[in-house]
Amino acid sequence: MIGIIGGSGLYNVDEINIIDEVEVRTPFGEPSDRYIVAEYNGKRAVFLPRHGKGHKFPPHLINYRANIWGFRKLGVHKILSISAVGGINPLLKPGDFVISDQFLDFTKVRPVTFYEGIYTIVDETDNRDDLVNEYMKNERVVHIDVTEPFCPIMTKTLASICEEKNFRYHQNGTYAATEGPRLETAAEIKMLSRLGADIVGMTLVPEIVLAREIAMHFSAISIVTNLAAGISKERLTSDEVIEMMTKKNKDIQQVVLDFIQKVPEHFDCNCEDVLKGAAI
Ligand code: HPA
C-alpha cells in the first residue's frame, strides 16, 4: 500500500473516498495525526499530514520515527513525500515542482535511526519475519546505504505524471535539509548553492532515512514556494509559503491521484534489499 505524507498547506484531497481514520500507537510515541485510509479508483492509500492538524508540530519536533513506524504498522511499503521548499537553483521559479534524487543533511537535533544498538526501542507487537525485526530485536547497529536514497521507479512515475500534465517541473533535484524552524541566512544559502543544493527545506531528513531503514520505497516531490534567502529580494514569510501551496493545491492533488493510480504494484529496484549485510 502507498503512504502519502502531506506538507504545509496540503491537508486533504478531494475526489478520494475516505474509508477510515486510524489512530496508531507506536513505541516511539505519537505520530503527527491520525492516518486517513482512503480509496481512489480501487486503489488504497494512507495519508498523514506531516505537521498534524492545525500545523501544530514545527519541523524539528515532528516525531518522524512514529510517523514512519505507523505506516509500517498499517502495511505501507511505499511513501510519497510532498513538501514546500525554497528555490536555490536559478532555474527554479516559485510554483515549480522539483523531484529530488539526492539530499544534503544539515539537520542537528532529530532522532535519526530506528537502530540504536543496546538502546533500540523494540515494538513487541510487531512479529514480522524480516530483517527490520531481526536487527531491532537483536539490538544490532545498522548502517544503511544511501548512495541513491530515492526509489527510482517511484521517481520515474512522478516525472511521467508531471510531463503528462504539462506541469513545470525539474528532475534530479538535490534537497538540502536544514534544521529550522528559522529560515536560512543569505550566506547559508550561498554555501548550500556552492555545495550543489537545488532546493532547501526542513523535513525530508530524517523522514526518508527512516523509511529506507525499514526497507520502504520512498520518493519526494516538492513545490518551490519562494526563492531562498538572499536570492529573493524580499523578506521571507510563512504567508507566501502557504499562499503558494494553496495556489498549487489542485495540481498537487492531481499528482497525488495520478500517483495512486499509476505507481506499479511490484518494483524491480533495490530499495527492499537495503538491509542485507547492513548490520554490524
Ligand atoms: N527554507 C527552508 N524551508 C522552506 C523554505 C525555505 O526557504 N521555503 C519553504 N520551506
Side-chain angles (χ1 to χ4, degrees), residues 84-86 178 183-184 200-202 225-229 236 241:
V85 292
T178 54
L183 291 155
E184 300 73 34
V200 58
M202 303 175 190
T225 52
N226 57 281
L227 298 181
L236 305 184
V241 172

Side-chain angles (χ1 to χ4, degrees), residues 8 59 83-88 175-178 180-184 189 199-203 223-229 236-237 240-241 245:
S8 307
S83 65
V85 292
I88 298 178
Y175 179 120
T178 54
R182 68 167 177 84
L183 291 155
E184 300 73 34
I189 293 299
I199 51 177
V200 58
M202 303 175 190
T203 54
I223 297 87
V224 177
T225 52
N226 57 281
L227 298 181
L236 305 184
T237 65
E240 68 184 316
V241 172
M245 289 301 274

Side-chain angles (χ1 to χ4, degrees), residues 121-146:
I121 298 167
V122 171
D123 187 344
E124 300 296 351
T125 67
D126 189 320
N127 291 317
R128 285 193 216 187
D129 181 17
D130 64 5
L131 281 176
V132 175
N133 251 326
E134 186 186 320
Y135 290 168
M136 287 178 84
K137 292 195 169 153
N138 290 301
E139 303 179 345
R140 303 282 294 276
V141 169
V142 176
H143 303 285
I144 54 152
D145 172 82
V146 284

Side-chain angles (χ1 to χ4, degrees), residues 190-244:
K190 200 188 271 181
M191 170 190 77
L192 294 174
S193 171
R194 289 186 180 159
L195 293 177
D198 298 302
I199 51 177
V200 58
M202 303 175 190
T203 54
L204 181 70
V205 182
E207 196 169 86
I208 183 174
V209 177
L210 294 165
R212 193 161 167 80
E213 272 198 346
I214 55 174
M216 289 186 178
H217 304 266
F218 190 102
S219 62
I221 188 161
S222 303
I223 297 87
V224 177
T225 52
N226 57 281
L227 298 181
I231 299 171
S232 169
K233 301 288 168 260
E234 314 288 330
R235 181 173 70 88
L236 305 184
T237 65
S238 297
D239 287 352
E240 68 184 316
V241 172
I242 300 302
E243 266 164 36
M244 182 54 81

